Amino acid sequence: MRLSQLFFASLRDDPADAEMASHRLLIRAGYVRQIGSGIYSLLPLGWRVTRRVEQVIREEMDRIGCQEMEMPVVQPADLWRESGRYQKIGPELLRFKDRTGRDMVLAMTHEEVVASLLHDLVSSYRQLPLLIYHIQTKFRDEPRSRGGLIRVREFVMKDSYSCDLDTAGLDHSYQLHYEAYTRIFGRLGLDAIVVGADVGIMGGSLAHEFMVLNEWGEDTLVLCERGDYAANQQIAMVGKPEPPNEEPMATEEVATPGAATIADLARVLEIGADRTAKATFFVTGDGRLLTVITRGDYEVSETKLANAVKAYSLRPAQAEEIRAAGMVPGYASPIGAHDTVVIVDDLVARSPNLVAGANREGFHLRNVNVGRDFSPDMVTDVVNARNGDPCPKCGAAVALRNGIEVGNIFKLGTDFSIPMGATYLGEDGERHPIVMGSYGIGVGRNVACIVEAHHDQKGIVWPAEVAPYPAHLVTIAAAKEPRIAEEADGLYARLKDAGVEVLYDDRDESPGVKFTDAELLGMPLIVTLSPRSLAAGGVEVTVRATGERSVKPIAELEAQLRTAATG
RNA sequence: CGGGGCGUAGCGCAGCCUGGUAGCGCACCUGCUUUGGGAGCAGGAGGCCGCCGGUUCGAAUCCGGCCGCCCCGACCA
């Protein structure tokens, strides 16, 4: 591609709203342009990288026998009513009506369509197992997009679906994906770590996320320092301290004016936050008020909580709702409360003589004991793992790190096949639900993560596997020395004939501009053709990643690029 | 949805407080010079100053409403 013809513009200044390196560089180098919040156009360079990433994914999916197909983005809402997600999913599912007033949605994923197709096409156990995938645009109306290209509303995703006879088959399909994903991220130059993940309220039995560590990541990961445990904080189960061994003592009201927070309470009473019981309040999507009791030095995990009470959504409760249940915000405890579901963290249930709210403005109770002073509706682990907590496997400290989810694998089970009637007739003559799995990779997010991992002060440094072009040919003084343009044109044309497309900066720009752009754009090799290089014997080849330079005959470079392309 | 910030040429910004012909750098066009690290000279083009309304003789500037974008939080198969 001749740079003089390429639909692109590089920018000298950083765009004002880009903070992440990937966002800043992809805009500056002319790969993408923002159209709206969380909505981007891919310019030719960006599209080329995207297709190369897709190609890696495609090859590895094909390798495990996954068949590529294509399913629609716009879908009738009825399909989503059948699975129940139309009702359960919030406003991130974009709903609209077509001209006849029929309810439609923009798909976020394609479990419904797959299940519906299975219903139509699969009737016998002989047709299973089956692996299918497509690479396609998704839309999720995120409340707030952020982090440049990491969290967007419209994005391209590879989603695949496994369809098996039974859970043993699902285990195998899951394992195939696990291995394929490991190869994919390796080829993309991403250091992805695998963490245990939330299976969500839709059910399912097991899920893993492939994560790239990044300070801008929106997921918090819990990682054992010895490498024995890795999980998304949403579900991470870590060890908890042993509570003091004390006999329960008589409760005692104590004045704590103005101490409406745990920090104030601990200061006023001169005790540790670990001797307090904190009450936090949520309302479920179906209207239940949850009173959650954790120790004062822990935070509630909303994911664990939602799973424990089987809630599709949670929101913080309003002060009025808390009062209506007989509690006083700031000084609340379940003692004397009514019309609320009381969930107690297991550590609190084992801890004697905590300080809890007295449900009276300005007062707390000492020596509160779960079971004696109030009865929980449920006792379970509902807190977030903390930095330094013990690893559940080996007891070493865990660290909290931010990560970006580049892929996930998920055992769905029969959560879609049963409601959608995706069944097969078994060898036993009985009808069975198809056992499904679902597996995603966000393509655009991977492109951004590759740039995050592969850039320097000057610009992008593409790994050869995904670079839009293998080399960036730069001419110097071509306007003045006709020989330069002739040699470059010839090299470019011969490579093109051989099926090797390089980026050719044929613009009449000063050397500084051309070198700066070449480094910004990030092709693996920068090939300079100038009077000086010709005098030295050919072209000067700079390896973008290392800065290493060498001069070689034009024919040698040509052969090298042709070999790399076919190799 | 809550808090904060911003909206002036393709990009980065000044002007606004204190109302009076819309500016700067880069990019762009023409000509000449220049050609190994963001060139020089000369000339030129490009603006519903986010939108609507109000105040005023006069609004980019003051007032009100709305929209959009960014950041933090809430949220997040």
Side-chain angles (χ1 to χ4, degrees):
Chain A
M1 185 71 214
R2 286 175 184 267
L3 210 46
S4 62
Q5 306 298 311
L6 184 66
F7 183 47
F8 111 112
S10 61
L11 303 178
R12 182 175 295 217
D13 300 310
D14 281 334
D17 346 331
E19 303 215 356
M20 290 182 75
S22 56
H23 191 201
R24 189 166 49 77
L25 291 172
L26 287 168
I27 291 177
R28 264 194 64 194
Y31 284 77
V32 303
R33 269 300 163 97
Q34 181 168 5
I35 297 302
S37 183
I39 302 177
Y40 287 82
S41 293
L42 294 177
L43 300 177
L45 285 174
W47 178 234
R48 235 180 130 90
V49 174
T50 301
R51 282 193 318 182
R52 296 215 62 196
V53 170
E54 288 177 358
Q55 190 53 33
V56 169
I57 295 170
R58 205 168 257 132
E59 286 169 16
E60 296 299 338
M61 295 314 296
D62 291 347
R63 189 209 289 262
I64 63 169
C66 207
Q67 302 177 47
E68 186 167 8
M69 59 181 298
E70 184 74 1
M71 292 176 273
V73 200
V74 174
Q75 301 177 4
D78 282 345
L79 208 52
W80 290 63
R81 289 197 178 98
E82 266 186 72
S83 72
R85 292 164 113 190
Y86 193 76
Q87 300 85 318
K88 288 167 189 166
I89 294 181
E92 63 268 28
L93 175 65
L94 185 63
R95 297 151 218 252
F96 62 100
K97 290 181 192 299
D98 69 9
R99 67 197 299 168
T100 64
R102 219 185 310 275
D103 290 322
M104 308 294 284
V105 304
L106 280 189
M108 318 191 338
T109 57
H110 284 68
E111 283 83 359
E112 281 81 0
V113 175
V114 171
S116 161
L117 289 169
L118 293 174
H119 171 86
D120 292 352
L121 297 175
V122 172
S123 43
S124 158
Y125 71 93
R126 297 174 200 276
Q127 293 169 274
L128 299 174
L130 174 69
L131 294 174
I132 53 179
Y133 77 100
H134 74 341
I135 297 176
Q136 192 230 33
T137 299
K138 303 283 184 287
F139 191 89
R140 291 183 192 178
D141 202 355
E142 297 282 352
R144 178 187 155 212
S145 53
R146 71 179 87 185
L149 298 150
I150 295 301
R151 183 170 183 183
V152 292
R153 296 195 292 169
E154 187 189 287
F155 56 98
V156 172
M157 177 170 161
K158 184 287 301 180
D159 42 324
S160 48
Y161 302 89
S162 63
C163 317
D164 282 286
L165 297 169
D166 51 28
T167 55
L170 173 58
D171 290 345
H172 183 244
S173 296
Y174 192 84
Q175 185 59 30
L176 284 177
H177 273 88
Y178 191 110
E179 290 161 9
Y181 276 32
T182 302
R183 282 192 294 268
I184 289 167
F185 297 122
R187 286 179 63 182
L188 295 181
L190 293 176
D191 246 330
I193 59 176
V194 183
V195 303
D198 181 30
V199 295
I201 198 61
M202 290 308 293
S205 54
L206 186 65
H208 286 100
E209 290 166 342
F210 287 73
M211 292 279 184
V212 173
L213 293 180
N214 186 287
E215 59 167 320
W216 295 91
E218 56 184 343
D219 285 285
T220 302
L221 312 181
V222 177
L223 305 177
C224 167
E225 64 179 17
R226 297 226 302 247
D228 290 325
Y229 184 71
N232 194 309
Q233 189 187 36
Q234 291 179 322
I235 58 137
M237 307 274 282
V238 294
K240 289 181 183 171
E242 205 44 45
N245 190 8
E246 292 174 7
E247 286 304 308
M249 297 189 278
T251 59
E252 175 193 343
E253 197 169 66
V254 54
T256 51
T261 66
I262 291 294
D264 288 338
L265 179 63
R267 196 175 56 246
V268 167
L269 296 181
E270 296 181 330
I271 56 172
D274 59 344
R275 299 310 306 269
T276 66
K278 177 168 66 177
T280 316
F281 306 92
F282 297 90
V283 175
T284 62
D286 52 10
R288 290 173 285 164
L289 175 69
L290 307 180
T291 300
V292 188
I293 310 302
T294 60
R295 234 173 55 172
D297 52 337
Y298 281 84
E299 296 295 330
V300 173
S301 161
E302 291 192 31
T303 303
K304 289 180 182 179
L305 180 62
N307 288 338
V309 302
K310 303 199 183 330
Y312 297 116
S313 63
L314 287 179
R315 64 167 172 83
Q318 310 280 320
E320 265 323 299
E321 294 166 319
I322 298 167
R323 287 193 198 94
M327 293 178 283
V328 177
Y331 303 90
S333 74
I335 300 172
H338 49 82
D339 298 312
T340 181
V341 181
V342 179
I343 294 103
V344 173
D345 185 63
D346 57 341
L347 177 59
V348 172
R350 289 186 280 119
S351 300
N353 303 323
L354 297 175
V355 173
N359 286 325
R360 182 178 163 203
E361 186 78 24
F363 289 89
H364 281 82
L365 293 173
R366 288 187 194 273
N367 304 325
V368 168
N369 289 275
V370 175
R372 183 191 69 182
D373 300 315
F374 66 91
S375 300
D377 294 294
M378 183 187 291
V379 174
T380 185
D381 169 43
V382 287
V383 295
N384 276 329
R386 306 170 305 178
N387 207 32
D389 279 346
C391 165
K393 297 272 173 56
C394 72
V398 298
L400 301 187
R401 301 286 299 277
N402 293 333
I404 297 169
E405 182 187 342
V406 289
N408 65 58
I409 55 179
F410 194 140
K411 290 187 179 179
L412 289 174
T414 55
D415 295 320
F416 286 86
S417 49
I418 289 178
M420 314 258 335
T423 60
Y424 67 92
L425 213 49
E427 209 169 354
D428 56 4
E430 299 287 323
R431 193 160 288 282
H432 302 280
I434 295 172
V435 181
M436 293 174 61
S438 148
Y439 315 85
I441 294 180
V443 177
R445 180 179 281 194
N446 272 269
V447 170
C449 284
I450 292 168
V451 177
E452 286 290 311
H454 301 274
H455 71 270
D456 60 20
Q457 289 297 99
K458 295 173 171 177
I460 301 172
V461 185
W462 291 115
E465 181 94 64
V466 297
Y469 297 94
H472 190 134
L473 175 59
V474 170
T475 55
I476 290 170
K480 189 166 134 188
E481 300 268 354
R483 199 161 59 101
I484 300 296
E486 282 165 26
E487 291 285 0
D489 285 351
L491 172 61
Y492 174 68
R494 288 194 302 279
L495 283 170
K496 197 165 184 173
D497 285 345
V500 181
E501 178 85 14
V502 301
L503 197 57
Y504 173 19
D505 191 348
D506 59 337
R507 299 174 302 175
D508 184 20
E509 289 287 354
S510 71
V513 170
K514 290 186 164 194
F515 287 137
T516 309
D517 269 346
E519 283 154 348
L520 178 63
L521 297 190
M523 302 317 134
L525 296 179
I526 299 170
V527 177
T528 309
L529 214 163
S530 67
R532 188 196 288 183
S533 78
L534 281 181
V539 288
E540 182 184 85
V541 179
T542 305
V543 178
R544 175 68 181 89
T546 62
E548 181 194 340
R549 292 184 187 190
S550 57
V551 175
K552 55 181 69 173
I554 292 176
E556 188 181 325
L557 169 84
E558 204 177 320
Q560 179 190 335
L561 286 173
R562 292 173 65 152
T563 307
T566 54

